[in-house]
């Protein structure tokens, strides 16, 4: 094999790597379903490829549980939409999102977040923030 042919194969292989790393949300989330939870923000992280929230929710049985939320939109888009500075740890929020396909998981792929004052923020899939 010539060096130039090998170089082309390496370049094509490297170019395809990001496409292989990206995933379809429908693989992990029931995108045709919506769940709404209300709880207290315990942590926020704007990281690539998607932002994350941890929400403490009081379940119907009275026990508290941590719910893990991933943004539907990429981190850069949520930053441009003002999300990074909009949620404070300790704030009560209502999150609408698609539930995990993993049975029993307390996780959502969220788009809409409503703050306690009624302000709506988007983590993708609406409000001008691109989603998956």
């Amino acid at each position: 094999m010539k060096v130039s042919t090998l170089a082309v194969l390496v370049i094509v292989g490297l170019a395809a790597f990001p496409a292989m790393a990206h995933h379809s949300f429908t693989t992990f989330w029931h995108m045709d379903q919506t769940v709404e939870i209300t709880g207290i923000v315990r942590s926020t992280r704007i990281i690539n490829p998607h932002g994350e929230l941890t929400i403490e929710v009081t379940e119907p049985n009275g026990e508290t549980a941590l719910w893990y939320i991933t943004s539907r939109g990429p981190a850069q888009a949520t930053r441009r939409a003002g999300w990074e500075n909009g949620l404070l740890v300790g704030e009560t929020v209502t999150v609408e999102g698609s539930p995990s396909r993993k049975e029993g998981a307390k996780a959502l792929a969220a788009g809409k977040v409503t703050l306690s004052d009624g302000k709506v923020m988007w983590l993708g899939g609406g409000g001008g923030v691109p989603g998956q």
Side-chain angles (χ1 to χ4, degrees):
M1 183 179 293
K2 287 183 162 183
V3 173
S4 61
T5 304
L6 181 59
V8 169
L9 289 175
V10 169
I11 290 169
V12 169
L14 289 174
F17 182 72
M20 291 185 317
H22 198 83
H23 53 271
S24 169
F25 264 44
T26 58
T27 301
F28 300 101
W29 310 98
H30 289 287
M31 297 304 289
D32 59 341
Q33 299 175 24
T34 301
V35 171
E36 181 178 286
I37 61 170
T38 298
I40 300 167
V41 177
R42 291 299 177 212
S43 68
T44 64
R45 291 177 30 171
I46 306 292
I47 58 171
N48 283 321
H50 301 281
E52 300 173 352
L53 298 174
T54 304
I55 309 292
E56 184 179 301
V57 175
T58 301
E59 300 289 340
N61 64 7
E63 295 182 16
T64 59
L66 292 179
W67 279 70
Y68 300 94
I69 315 300
T70 188
S71 66
R72 287 184 186 163
Q76 188 61 27
T78 56
R79 279 191 189 102
R80 284 193 305 267
W83 186 71
E84 187 168 23
N85 299 319
L87 292 175
L88 302 174
V89 171
E91 184 168 4
T92 299
V93 297
T94 298
V95 178
E96 292 179 29
S98 301
S100 173
R101 288 188 178 276
K102 183 176 179 184
E103 188 69 33
K106 297 189 181 303
L108 298 175
K112 183 178 178 183
V113 177
T114 305
L115 308 181
S116 57
D117 65 2
K119 179 181 176 185
V120 174
M121 299 184 75
W122 292 88
L123 301 175
V129 180
Q132 292 294 326

